[in-house]
């Protein structure tokens, strides 16, 4: 996994609640057996005026001028501001794959859906939960000033606004450590292989019917 | 000993290791696998030179991409076909407890076949790369959806990294009215607590109205726990659970059955167990439900109206409603029963089991599809459900009413196969998500129970099934 330490990035606002993973990456792209290449189809139904198909040349498709991420001022954005319950719905990891491939590294919102939140960390994408009032203020500032950037420091657990205000955020220490180092979860877990084996043997003895 | 919730019992019996911050490794008993979320996991495993930890935990099937008609022609879409063939190859290479491939007599939706084969048992941890894995919690097991990285993690280590959830009890007491089903109960719950109301919680359903439900009804309710934001839904074990599991193919037999049942009877929340949050709902207050918007929380009763955004003060909510009404092509204040439908879909991991088909058939019997309805799809959840329905003659009722009787699969719940809505088409659907584009780009989905879907099919618009 790609480590995440610090980022000074352009911010884009996606001002709607309950953005679901079907919206982040529609189902026809889930037929891929690869992990990469989903970025051009992130938010496909909002971003383009036609219906996307796997394998199509997205550079030739008509863009929806009303979709916020298509505005010139947000090109190259690496931080996405969101509203409540971002990433709800399906467990498809294609959603964080698409956001990461699009270029996002940080998501900031008042709340995220559980499975999406979890999947993001596995892909070097940092979702940050802030109070709704803080998020409101970031939306206001971002929309008011073109080229709005934020500095995110994972080690210090801070977001710094252009006006100098620093906002602290929470993160599980274990997740933080994994993300800072880009650690592979599986490698970490396999350090406990003996413990897993012992647990399994005990469970097999106690509940043999789960091992039929 | 301190009174424990069912979630606490299941959690504590699976912790292998715990980090200082409470992140735990929990052991996984059952790993359900389908074609959409597994190829990258198998590839990752192979690239890292790792082997699956315990293939005997794997039960696999192909469901999302499979066609529901003309099975003789195979899978026409080459991209879908490649995904299904990749699953075939992966399972052939690593092995499994059971694999029900495309066209197998027991193939079907992963959340239907696990329980009906007795591969989902009380006291287990069950995972699948699919958010509707919450369904299996109806059996008193800890079951939830995971992402593809976690699928790979479970394949490689038989464990999952997790933090303990908070506990939420939804207690539904009383008796459901005639024509009110499990689907109406869960939609009413989501309408009450919202699509994020269960975020961070393991959501247990209890109370006399839940106890009175069949396993099919309990599965419908747990299936949509994720639509309320909870990864896991739960119902405690009782005689209904045990009766359902007896003599299923993978259920324990003989002395092991007796031993298992002894243990399973302890799998319920103890008297006096404390939940972090409790929500109480009176069964008598629940009426048939219909969603009007693009999130399952955008729901009302069949005698209700489409809401008026002008009456909402919170700007984010108001804009959400305005956007939803625009997408859905609906005017504020329209009575629900004035909304016509173009298509009807009866199926999905929420409502494709035998009891669901019986409910729909009871309404369809002696009636015909309204001329204005283009198509009514009835898609059984599995090959076994299909055979059972045919043995009961339900397919003849559907066919006589002008409905289409299809092969099993996920079908138009998410339209990864050829079954889908055209832009602007409106559908009464027994599935679980009314998101924009879910059933086809530009398609408009209204979530309802199987009986309400059949009622819409025969009248051409949403109709109170109790008045038919």
């Amino acid at each position: 996994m790609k480590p995440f330490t610090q980022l000074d990035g352009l911010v884009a606002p996606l001002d709607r609640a309950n953005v679901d993973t079907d919206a982040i990456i529609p189902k026809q792209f889930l037929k891929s057996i690869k992990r990469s290449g989903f970025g051009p189809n992130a938010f496909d139904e909002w971003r383009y005026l036609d219906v996307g198909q796997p394998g199509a040349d997205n550079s030739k498709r008509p863009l929806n001028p009303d979709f916020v991420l298509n505005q010139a001022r947000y090109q190259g954005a690496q931080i996405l501001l969101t509203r409540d319950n971002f990433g709800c719905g399906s467990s498809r990891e294609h959603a964080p794959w698409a956001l990461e491939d699009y270029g996002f590294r940080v998501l900031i919102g008042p709340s995220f859906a559980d499975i999406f939140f979890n999947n993001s960390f596995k892909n070097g994408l940092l979702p940050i939960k802030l109070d709704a009032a803080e998020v409101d203020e970031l939306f206001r500032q971002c929309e008011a000033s073109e080229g709005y950037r934020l500095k995110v420091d994972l080690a210090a657990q801070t977001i710094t606004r252009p006006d100098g205000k620093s906002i602290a955020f929470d993160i599980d220490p274990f997740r933080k450590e994994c993300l800072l180092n880009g650690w592979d979860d599986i490698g970490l877990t396999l350090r406990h292989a003996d413990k897993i084996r012992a647990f399994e043997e005990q469970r097999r003895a106690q509940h043999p019917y789960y091992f039929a | 000993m301190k009174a424990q919730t069912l979630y606490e019992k299941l959690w504590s019996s699976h912790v292998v290791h715990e980090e200082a911050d409470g992140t735990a490794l929990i052991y996984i008993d059952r790993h359900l696998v389908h074609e959409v979320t597994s190829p990258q996991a198998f590839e990752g495993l192979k690239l890292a030179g790792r082997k699956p930890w315990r293939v005997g935990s794997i039960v696999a099937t192909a469901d999302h991409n499979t066609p529901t008609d003309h099975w003789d022609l195979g899978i026409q879409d080459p991209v879908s076909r490649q995904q299904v063939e990749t699953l075939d190859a992966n399972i052939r290479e690593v092995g499994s407890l059971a694999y029900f491939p495309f066209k197998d007599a027991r193939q079907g939706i992963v959340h239907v076949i696990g329980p009906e084969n007795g591969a989902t048992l009380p006291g287990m941890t069950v995972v699948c790369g699919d958010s509707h894995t919450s369904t299996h919690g109806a059996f008193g097991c800890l079951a939830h959806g995971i992402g593809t990285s976690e699928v790979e993690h479970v394949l490689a280590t038989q464990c999952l990294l997790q933090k303990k959830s908070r506990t939420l009890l939804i207690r539904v007491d009383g008796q459901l009215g005639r024509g009110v089903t499990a689907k109406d109960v869960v939609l009413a719950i989501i309408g009450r607590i919202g699509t994020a109301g269960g975020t961070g919680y393991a959501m247990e359903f209890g109370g006399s109205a839940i106890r009175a439900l069949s396993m099919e009804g309990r599965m419908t309710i747990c299936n949509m726990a994720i639509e309320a934001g909870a990864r896991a839904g739960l119902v405690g074990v009782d005689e209904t659970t045990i009766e359902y599991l007896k003599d299923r193919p993978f259920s324990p037999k003989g002395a092991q059955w007796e031993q298992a049942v002894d243990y399973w009877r302890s799998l319920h929340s103890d008297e006096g167990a404390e939940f972090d949050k409790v929500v109480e709902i009176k069964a008598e207050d629940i009426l048939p439900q219909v969603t009007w918007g693009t999130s399952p929380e955008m729901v009302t009763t069949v005698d209700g109206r489409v809401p008026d955004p002008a009456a909402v003060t919170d700007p984010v909510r108001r804009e959400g409603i305005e956007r939803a009404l625009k997408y859905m092509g609906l005017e504020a204040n329209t009575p629900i029963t004035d909304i016509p439908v173009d298509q009807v879909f009866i199926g999905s991991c929420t409502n494709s089991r035998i009891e669901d088909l019986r409910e729909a058939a009871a309404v369809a019997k002696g009636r015909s599809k309204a001329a204005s309805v283009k198509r009514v799809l009835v898609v059984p959840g599995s090959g076994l459900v299909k055979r059972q329905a045919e043995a009961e003659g339900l397919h003849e009722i559907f066919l006589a009413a002008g409905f289409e009787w299809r092969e099993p699969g996920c079908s138009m719940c998410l339209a990864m196969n050829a079954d889908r809505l055209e832009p602007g088409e409106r559908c009464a659907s027994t599935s679980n998500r009314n998101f924009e584009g879910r059933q086809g780009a530009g398609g408009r989905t209204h979530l309802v129970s199987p009986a309400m879907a059949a009622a819409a099919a025969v009248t051409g618009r949403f109709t109170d099934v109790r008045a038919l």
Side-chain angles (χ1 to χ4, degrees):
Chain A
M1 184 180 72
K2 218 192 292 187
F4 183 101
T5 50
Q6 286 177 322
L7 176 72
D8 177 347
L10 184 70
V11 184
L14 185 59
D15 195 0
R16 49 174 98 186
N18 296 319
V19 172
D20 58 72
T21 54
D22 277 79
I24 297 171
I25 184 83
K27 84 278 279 162
Q28 62 268 40
F29 306 107
L30 271 50
K31 295 177 187 180
S32 167
I33 56 171
K34 294 188 291 217
R35 265 176 201 265
S36 56
F38 295 99
N41 299 109
F43 302 109
D44 198 273
E45 286 181 21
W46 293 341
R47 192 166 153 196
Y48 300 99
L49 293 170
D50 63 351
V51 176
Q53 290 306 332
D57 182 354
N58 295 292
S59 66
K60 297 209 166 64
R61 296 174 57 200
L63 291 173
N64 174 5
D66 296 334
F67 183 53
V68 63
L69 295 185
N70 286 337
Q71 292 179 25
R73 61 185 281 195
Y74 298 125
Q75 299 314 300
Q78 291 179 286
I79 300 174
L80 185 68
L81 286 182
T82 71
R83 293 291 186 185
D84 263 316
N85 204 24
F86 186 85
C88 59
S90 141
S91 64
R92 59 188 70 167
E93 198 159 319
H94 312 68
W97 292 339
L99 294 170
E100 199 271 341
D101 195 48
Y102 181 95
F104 291 118
R105 298 300 313 274
V106 174
L107 310 169
I108 301 173
S111 65
F112 296 89
D114 278 347
I115 303 178
F116 173 82
F117 188 72
N118 208 34
N119 285 342
S120 295
F121 284 102
K122 316 281 182 195
N123 293 284
L125 191 61
L126 173 62
I128 299 175
K129 286 186 233 181
L130 294 181
D131 282 349
E134 293 277 19
V135 175
D136 269 346
E137 181 54 26
L138 291 177
F139 266 99
R140 264 195 297 276
Q141 293 195 356
C142 178
E143 280 156 14
S145 91
E146 201 166 325
Y148 186 80
R149 301 176 77 86
L150 290 170
K151 291 194 176 94
V152 179
D153 185 333
L154 177 57
Q157 293 180 222
T158 56
I159 297 169
T160 309
R161 297 195 317 215
D163 61 11
K165 187 187 168 186
S166 169
I167 307 165
F169 63 87
D170 279 338
I171 180 172
D172 285 341
F174 184 75
R175 282 190 162 132
K176 176 178 171 179
E177 200 65 14
C178 289
L179 204 48
L180 280 172
N181 295 291
W183 280 338
D184 160 27
D185 276 355
I186 297 177
L188 285 183
T189 296
L190 287 174
R191 292 179 312 169
H192 303 295
D194 288 345
K195 246 176 144 169
I196 301 171
R197 229 167 269 126
F199 180 95
E200 191 168 56
E201 282 321 303
Q202 194 195 344
R203 186 159 178 77
R204 194 190 294 271
Q206 201 178 353
H207 301 288
Y209 40 85
Y210 293 141
F211 293 80
Chain B
M1 207 172 98
K2 188 176 171 287
Q4 282 186 306
T5 63
L6 173 55
Y7 176 73
E8 283 157 351
K9 292 179 188 182
L10 293 170
W11 173 267
S12 61
S13 61
H14 287 89
V15 174
V16 174
H17 171 81
E18 203 166 332
E19 301 287 339
D21 73 347
T23 305
L25 271 182
I26 62 164
Y27 185 80
I28 301 303
D29 296 306
R30 176 67 67 231
H31 190 181
L32 304 169
V33 173
H34 68 68
E35 80 276 19
V36 180
T37 53
S38 65
Q40 297 88 349
F42 281 111
E43 187 193 22
L45 200 68
K46 202 182 288 182
L47 288 175
R50 291 173 175 137
K51 293 262 177 268
W53 184 281
R54 182 163 74 84
V55 294
S57 68
I58 298 173
V59 172
T61 195
D63 53 6
H64 285 62
N65 282 277
T66 54
T68 59
D69 60 356
H70 295 297
W71 271 12
D72 53 318
L73 300 177
I75 303 173
Q76 297 287 295
D77 175 353
V79 195
S80 286
R81 189 169 61 238
Q82 184 193 28
Q83 199 164 55
V84 172
E85 286 171 353
T86 303
L87 177 67
D88 283 340
N90 284 328
I91 297 294
R92 209 168 34 236
E93 186 180 334
V94 308
S96 63
L97 173 70
Y99 180 40
F100 305 116
F102 174 48
K103 294 189 189 181
D104 187 276
R106 287 199 278 166
Q107 177 266 353
I109 306 174
V110 70
H111 308 307
V112 175
I113 64 167
E116 76 182 1
N117 284 290
T120 298
L121 297 171
M124 279 183 161
T125 42
V126 178
V127 295
C128 177
D130 194 290
S131 60
H132 290 113
T133 309
S134 60
T135 309
H136 306 263
F139 289 84
C141 58
L142 181 56
H144 53 73
I146 57 178
T148 297
S149 293
E150 290 177 316
V151 170
E152 185 179 337
H153 192 278
V154 174
L155 284 171
T157 70
Q158 210 58 39
C159 289
L160 202 55
L161 279 164
Q162 285 265 288
K163 270 196 127 171
K164 198 171 172 184
S165 301
R166 288 171 292 164
T167 52
L168 167 61
L169 173 65
I170 309 275
R171 189 160 50 220
V172 189
D173 278 317
Q175 204 171 355
L176 293 175
R178 190 178 60 86
V180 179
T181 68
K183 182 66 164 287
D184 301 301
V185 173
V186 72
L187 284 172
I189 291 168
I190 296 165
R192 167 93 168 261
I193 69 173
T195 46
T199 303
Y201 291 99
M203 190 186 272
E204 179 170 342
F205 301 93
S208 57
I210 303 294
R211 294 260 74 86
L213 288 173
S214 65
M215 288 315 296
E216 281 86 351
R218 295 177 191 184
M219 283 190 261
T220 298
I221 289 190
C222 288
N223 173 274
M224 289 190 72
I226 184 66
E227 268 32 270
R231 293 182 93 172
L234 285 168
V235 176
V237 174
D238 61 10
E239 292 311 309
T240 305
T241 324
I242 291 165
E243 194 52 43
Y244 178 98
L245 288 169
K246 200 163 181 6
D247 300 325
R248 302 262 162 191
F250 294 108
S251 291
K253 308 282 182 312
Q256 285 204 353
W257 169 258
E258 300 302 325
Q259 187 196 347
V261 167
D262 269 353
Y263 170 54
W264 295 346
R265 287 194 207 280
S266 71
L267 296 174
H268 52 78
S269 289
D270 296 331
E271 193 77 35
E274 279 181 36
F275 290 81
D276 293 305
K277 191 169 148 189
V278 178
V279 174
E280 291 180 337
I281 295 180
K282 271 212 288 235
E284 289 79 5
D285 292 346
I286 302 173
L287 299 181
Q289 308 278 310
V290 181
T291 65
W292 48 265
T294 53
S295 161
E297 71 185 16
M298 293 174 162
V299 64
T300 186
T301 51
V302 66
D303 60 355
R305 288 170 183 268
V306 173
D308 188 346
V312 177
T313 47
D314 172 31
V316 175
R317 257 197 77 217
R318 185 173 60 237
E319 283 163 30
I321 294 174
E322 283 167 354
R323 198 179 294 118
L325 294 190
K326 187 170 171 224
Y327 180 84
M328 295 296 288
L330 291 172
E331 296 288 331
N333 300 312
T334 306
I336 292 294
T337 49
D338 282 0
I339 302 172
V341 303
D342 302 305
Q343 292 211 38
V344 176
F345 173 61
I346 298 170
S348 87
C349 57
T350 314
N351 280 130
S352 65
R353 298 178 183 85
I354 190 66
E355 187 180 286
D356 302 313
L357 301 185
R358 286 178 192 144
E359 278 173 16
V363 175
K365 191 170 186 179
R367 296 192 171 96
S368 296
K369 173 180 84 64
S372 58
V373 175
K374 293 178 203 165
R375 188 167 73 167
V376 182
L377 279 186
V378 186
V379 183
S382 71
L384 294 182
V385 170
K386 186 173 191 229
R387 273 212 299 284
Q388 172 73 29
E390 289 178 349
E392 296 179 18
L394 304 184
H395 66 309
E396 283 161 4
I397 294 172
F398 293 132
L399 290 169
F403 298 5
E404 295 181 28
W405 178 243
R406 294 293 189 93
E407 303 292 347
C410 299
S411 181
M412 209 164 71
C413 173
L414 86 167
M416 273 189 81
N417 68 357
D419 309 335
R420 66 186 66 151
L421 297 179
E422 293 301 317
E425 278 189 336
R426 189 180 300 286
C427 182
S429 178
T430 66
S431 55
N432 39 60
R433 288 184 178 140
N434 51 353
F435 299 156
E436 288 183 24
R438 173 79 178 180
Q439 295 191 290
R444 295 161 172 167
T445 303
H446 296 263
L447 305 176
V448 289
S449 72
M452 285 287 290
V458 299
T459 62
R461 59 193 166 79
F462 293 105
T463 301
D464 191 336
V465 66
R466 299 168 303 170
L468 266 188

